Structures are given as structure tokens and as C-alpha cells.
Amino acid sequence: MALPDFLIKNSSDIDLRWYGRRTGKPLRKTRKKLYEELLPTIRLDPEPQNIPTDLKTLFPNPVREVWLEIGFGGGEHLAVQAEKNPDVGIIGCEPFVNGVASLMKHLDGNGVANVRIYDDDVRHLLKLMAPGSLARIFILFPDPWPKSRHHRRRIVKDETILQFVHLLKNGGELRFASDHQGYVSWALRHLLQNDDISWIARRPEDWRIPPPDWVETRYEQKAKARGDTPAYLRFERKSRFD
Ligand SMILES: C[S@@+](CC[C@H](N)C(=O)[O-])C[C@H]1O[C@@H](n2cnc3c(N)ncnc32)[C@H](O)[C@@H]1O
């Protein structure tokens, strides 16, 4: 079942670009080959009829649940999570060609059975997945769009939070991390306003400590090298029957 009309953004908003470049430096030979040969074997076909209601059926081997990583960048986090969790299907979404090629390099030789890639804007995909079909959504170090006039390009905002909540199954988790304090405050404020999710913070310092199964991302490493302190927010989807 696709997203109800009230959750579908209007076309003028979908025209608004949320991501930076689509392409960077020309791909080196190995990456180009992997991009051309490996990606087509795991690329998600975004035609609505090809997105199954049960996302688990996208994967050749049985998986117990499906996670979505939005904006995986170079794919370092996704590749390690996929390797550590072979019984989970992971859909990675990233429109930046060089990032997708980098993920292919990380996956090459490590198995790709539990990974599927949507190499475009996640907003299209969010509308096609069935309610309650995701157990986890990762939004890690998203573009902060620091200027006020660009805030509506942020990936976390009221409209997308409704979509995330709609797509998460009961008890499912939304993970957000950022080193941009303005975006962290913004995300926390907007997420706390939604009554269908609750902040998983048991101690005051929780938002400074990554969860135990955390895998560092490239942007996180860069932020720490600059001396910035990332924040980690985890929200749980409340039961729909509460
Ligand atoms: C700052 S980078 C962070 C990359 C990675 N998560 C990390 O922490 O290293 C943000 C990424 O989000 C991607 N992105 C931005 N808007 C997106 C969208 N609408 N759909 C999917 N990915 C998006 C960008 O292309 C970029 O690679």
C-alpha cells in the first residue's frame, strides 16, 4: 500500500533539490567497472509495481527485517552493518554517483545478498513503501543546510517525520546523528513534537554516546578530526495500538 495522499508532498517541493552534487571526479577504472556491473545486480527498480508490500521479498535469502539508510555517502556504515547483520535486508539510498561507486567497492567480495540500492532521491522511494515495512531508518550526518532560507531542504522536518513514522513498524527505530548543533536542536524539536515516536534516552549523556552497535561514518570521522562533537538521537516507533 502506498503512502496516503495527505503524506505525499506536493510537486513543487519535490522539485526542490535536497542534495548536493550528483557526480564528482570521474570514477577510477575499478569503481567504474563495479558501478557498471555490480550496481545493476542490486539496484532497486523504483517503478511502483516493483516495490513489494513486503520489502523482505526484495532479498534472495530470508531476512528477518528491513532497514533503510538515507544518504549513505561513501557507504562505510552501510557496508559494515550489512556484513554484521546478514539476516537483515538493508536498502541504501544515495543520489551521489561517486558515493554509490564507493559503496560498491566496500561491498565487492563481501557479499551483497542483503543490500539493495536506490541511487536517487529518497523522497520518491518514501512514497512507495508500505506502512510499517521498515524496522530501522538511519539518517547519519545529513546535509545541514545551515541558512534559514534553506531549512525546508532538511531531510528531517515535519512532513518527512510523518513519513518515517508511517513507514516504521511498531518498536522500529529512527537513528539520526549530526555534528551540526543547529540541526540537532531542530531535529530534536521536530521529532519530539510527534506523539507516535518516543526518544530513547535513558541518561542525560545518551545523546552524546553512540549506541553499542554503532559504525562510524566518514562524515563523523571528519567532524571528530575537526574537534566537533556529534550528537546521536534515537527514536522508537510507539505501538499503533496504544
Ligand atoms: C553530509 S553527507 C553524509 C554521508 C554519510 N551519511 C556520512 O555520514 O558519511 C549527506 C549525504 O546525503 C545525501 N542526500 C542528500 N539528500 C538526499 C536525498 N534526498 N535522498 C538521498 N540521499 C540524499 C547526499 O548526497 C550526501 O551523500
Side-chain angles (χ1 to χ4, degrees):
M1 195 206 306
L3 212 55
D5 283 349
F6 75 95
L7 290 181
I8 297 178
K9 294 295 297 133
N10 62 42
S11 57
S12 63
D13 193 70
I14 207 102
D15 289 344
L16 193 69
R17 202 164 49 85
W18 285 6
Y19 49 86
R21 302 170 298 165
R22 285 254 8 185
T23 53
K25 287 185 195 153
L27 297 179
R28 286 197 299 267
K29 206 172 156 193
T30 321
R31 291 196 183 199
K32 187 165 185 290
K33 188 168 159 52
L34 287 169
Y35 185 83
E36 287 169 354
E37 293 176 9
L38 183 57
L39 176 62
T41 67
I42 55 170
R43 184 183 254 146
L44 208 63
D45 180 349
E47 285 303 314
Q49 68 273 16
N50 293 328
I51 304 293
T53 305
D54 182 359
L55 294 176
K56 297 202 276 298
T57 62
L58 286 170
F59 303 90
N61 302 328
V63 292
R64 62 182 168 84
E65 58 188 32
V66 178
W67 300 351
L68 171 72
E69 180 165 347
I70 300 175
F72 58 71
E76 294 79 10
H77 173 270
L78 194 156
V80 175
Q81 289 287 11
E83 199 183 346
K84 282 187 174 173
N85 300 282
D87 57 345
V88 171
I90 307 188
I91 300 174
C93 191
E94 174 58 64
F96 185 49
V97 169
N98 303 59
V100 176
S102 160
L103 172 65
M104 294 304 111
K105 185 88 174 56
H106 289 298
L107 293 178
D108 187 33
N110 288 332
V112 289
N114 62 334
V115 177
R116 288 293 173 270
I117 300 302
Y118 181 60
D119 53 335
D120 210 327
D121 190 323
V122 74
R123 284 176 289 176
H124 301 290
L125 188 60
L126 292 177
K127 289 190 262 170
L128 300 176
M129 293 182 286
S133 57
L134 295 172
R136 254 190 220 182
I137 300 176
F138 296 97
I139 307 172
L140 310 179
F141 300 85
D143 297 314
W145 294 109
K147 292 180 183 153
S148 317
R149 69 173 189 278
H150 288 153
H151 283 177
R152 68 197 182 108
R153 294 174 191 248
R154 285 178 168 172
I155 223 150
V156 175
K157 54 182 182 170
D158 293 338
E159 297 87 339
T160 43
I161 291 171
L162 282 177
Q163 292 178 312
F164 302 146
V165 167
H166 178 77
L167 292 171
L168 281 172
K169 67 179 200 174
N170 292 346
E173 185 180 327
L174 174 69
R175 282 192 187 178
F176 171 93
S178 176
D179 59 305
H180 188 280
Q181 296 315 317
Y183 200 175
V184 173
S185 314
W186 158 288
L188 190 55
R189 182 158 42 87
H190 287 258
L191 289 163
L192 284 171
Q193 277 166 11
N194 191 300
D195 289 336
D196 294 322
I197 45 175
S198 46
W199 188 13
I200 313 172
R202 295 191 176 84
R203 296 156 302 175
E205 67 272 25
D206 263 5
W207 65 300
R208 287 285 179 219
I209 301 171
D213 61 344
W214 190 257
V215 177
E216 260 193 5
T217 79
R218 192 190 296 181
Y219 271 76
E220 181 177 13
Q221 285 169 2
K222 284 187 194 172
K224 287 179 174 172
R226 283 195 305 268
D228 293 338
T229 314
Y232 307 89
L233 304 179
R234 299 170 69 196
F235 276 79
E236 183 180 305
R237 175 68 167 95
K238 291 182 193 167
S239 165
R240 285 164 172 81
F241 306 107
D242 275 354

